Amino acid sequence: MFLVITGGQKEKKLEFDQMILCKNCDRYGRLEVYKIYSHLSFFFIPLFQWNKRYFGKMECCNAICEISDELGKQIEKGYISSLDTSLLHFQRHSDYRACRQC
């Protein structure tokens, strides 16, 4: 008899999309919300999740921002359909490349 216990970190895209004007690249882009968490599974059945964090990612330039746990949980449950973008503080992702004219 053998036991299969797995664990690690997972990333899940939540059912949330919002078109906004990006503060980093000044283009319209889609804001996507993700949840990152650590997990423990037994025979591929999830048992525990901990260290949950939520963040937003812009599709246009891959800029990211941290989202509070309370707000992330409400987005995950489907209670919130749009975010106030003035409260979000994006940081450029290292893969962002802009041309010399931008």
Side-chain angles (χ1 to χ4, degrees), residues 56-77:
K57 178 181 172 187
M58 289 301 300
E59 180 192 38
C60 53
C61 64
N62 291 330
I64 57 173
C65 74
E66 189 86 21
I67 295 176
S68 70
D69 290 341
E70 297 168 4
L71 188 60
K73 288 177 186 176
Q74 290 180 352
I75 292 171
E76 187 174 13
K77 292 178 182 177

Side-chain angles (χ1 to χ4, degrees), residues 8-71:
Q9 192 169 17
K10 284 192 174 184
E11 179 179 301
K12 178 183 176 185
K13 182 179 183 258
L14 301 181
E15 294 294 323
F16 180 88
D17 289 322
Q18 180 179 351
M19 290 295 290
I20 63 171
L21 181 63
C22 182
K23 295 178 184 179
N24 289 322
C25 65
D26 294 326
R27 293 185 285 177
Y28 275 103
R30 193 170 74 228
L31 171 64
E32 300 172 335
V33 177
Y34 290 86
K35 175 175 92 169
I36 295 178
Y37 59 94
S38 299
H39 72 96
L40 182 66
S41 300
F42 178 69
F43 281 107
F44 308 106
I45 299 169
L47 296 176
F48 302 108
Q49 292 182 3
W50 69 93
N51 198 21
K52 296 177 188 175
R53 295 183 325 224
Y54 300 91
F55 69 94
K57 178 181 172 187
M58 289 301 300
E59 180 192 38
C60 53
C61 64
N62 291 330
I64 57 173
C65 74
E66 189 86 21
I67 295 176
S68 70
D69 290 341
E70 297 168 4
L71 188 60

